[in-house]
Amino acid sequence: MEAIDIFKKVRELGEMIQDSNEMKKMKDAELVQENDDTAREELKAFNMNRMNLARDMQNGKISREEAVEKNNAAFDELCAKAPAVKNYIDAKKDFDAMIEQVNQILNYYITGMDPACTHNCSTCGGCR
């Protein structure tokens, strides 16, 4: 098989990914989020809070664990105040999961090794 044939298939795969429900949902959710004034303001405040937490952690004012805890609480608050942000994040997670599966399949066919393989057959019942 020629490299040109491989590139043609990769383009075809790219088009299929572009047309996937996961990508469409992510792009739609992104557009809604971008046009939502509340989402934009809440994201701005969340990002400012993250920067302040990082600065406080660097300056030794708070521990890493405390910064993570406060960031997680702020993220939960962001999602509660701006559902458009939560919808985008959920759609992006679904899209990213699909891309990860595509990458794992490609990796399997390129290397012959299943990335999920633990080399302990008791965990899956055997090799493919």
Side-chain angles (χ1 to χ4, degrees), residues 46-80:
F46 174 75
N47 288 328
M48 182 62 71
N49 183 54
R50 284 182 71 151
M51 288 183 352
N52 290 336
L53 286 172
R55 183 195 64 230
D56 289 348
M57 189 176 67
Q58 279 184 324
N59 292 335
K61 292 181 180 179
I62 60 174
S63 68
R64 177 171 167 49
E65 292 77 21
E66 188 178 358
V68 168
E69 188 177 302
K70 286 183 177 188
N71 185 69
N72 289 344
F75 179 76
D76 291 342
E77 186 178 328
L78 166 67
C79 290

Side-chain angles (χ1 to χ4, degrees), residues 3 6 9-11 13 15 18 28 36 39 44 46 57 62 78 80-81 84 108 111 113 115 118:
I6 295 170
K9 291 293 183 184
V10 170
R11 278 191 218 81
L13 175 61
E15 290 170 359
Q18 195 173 34
D28 289 346
D36 185 314
K44 190 173 160 184
F46 174 75
M57 189 176 67
I62 60 174
L78 166 67
K81 288 182 177 179
Y108 174 75
T111 66
M113 296 184 66
T118 63

Side-chain angles (χ1 to χ4, degrees), residues 70-120:
K70 286 183 177 188
N71 185 69
N72 289 344
F75 179 76
D76 291 342
E77 186 178 328
L78 166 67
C79 290
K81 288 182 177 179
V85 173
K86 171 102 170 78
N87 291 340
Y88 170 72
I89 290 168
D90 290 343
K92 179 136 177 35
K93 281 181 184 177
D94 291 343
F95 177 77
D96 289 347
M98 180 191 68
I99 295 300
E100 179 61 28
Q101 285 182 318
V102 168
N103 286 333
Q104 286 179 1
I105 293 166
L106 284 172
N107 187 56
Y108 174 75
Y109 282 96
I110 292 168
T111 66
M113 296 184 66
D114 186 345
C117 182
T118 63
H119 301 289
N120 177 355

